[in-house]
Amino acid sequence: MEASDRVLLIDLENAVGTIHVRSRILRAKVHALLQAVGPVHHALASHAQADPVEDTVVSVLAELGVAAWRVEQHDNAAEFALISHARYAYQQGCRTFAVASADRAFTALADLGAFDVLAWEGQQVSAKLEDRAQSVIRVARPTPIDPVPAQ
């Protein structure tokens, strides 16, 4: 990876809401985030799911070209997984990140390089996260009417 390669980290519970969301809504929201961030080296989304058999999230993310990291259900598990991946990417040479989350935990990305925050219009973003971010990119909330193309 090059320092300028951007990695997108998507905290699904924060950026999409409940993970028991309909596939078309999940698809529309993740697609909107991908369009807003622009070119990325890769994107990784993390979420907690108690029953992997019931988890259609991984399939929808695969359609969109986003890697999925399912974690156990406990406080901040998805955040810790995504920050861990950012540290891995940093070790590989990456210094540019984007995070789809308004959670203060992602201020840790400032230790790894520059990062932007993707947040929905009207979504409250942690003041500390906003201060540490290079920018906050406000994304219009999509409506899942139009079909989203697979990657």
Side-chain angles (χ1 to χ4, degrees), residues 19-106:
I19 292 307
H20 301 291
V21 68
R22 292 180 179 210
S23 294
R24 64 186 166 86
I25 295 170
L26 173 65
R27 187 176 292 108
K29 286 186 172 184
V30 172
H31 179 72
L33 294 171
L34 291 168
Q35 294 299 304
V37 75
V40 295
H41 182 273
H42 65 274
L44 175 68
S46 187
H47 69 289
Q49 178 59 264
D51 186 359
V53 174
E54 297 293 322
D55 189 3
T56 60
V57 172
V58 173
S59 296
V60 172
L61 293 172
E63 291 173 21
L64 297 171
V66 176
W69 187 347
R70 188 182 310 127
V71 294
E72 292 183 24
Q73 289 186 313
H74 59 80
D75 291 344
N76 301 317
E79 291 88 341
F80 293 143
L82 292 168
I83 292 167
S84 175
H85 180 71
R87 288 186 179 118
Y88 167 80
Y90 177 83
Q91 291 171 346
Q92 304 310 308
C94 180
R95 301 292 184 268
T96 310
F97 302 90
V99 62
S101 180
D103 193 317
R104 179 179 58 153
F106 290 102

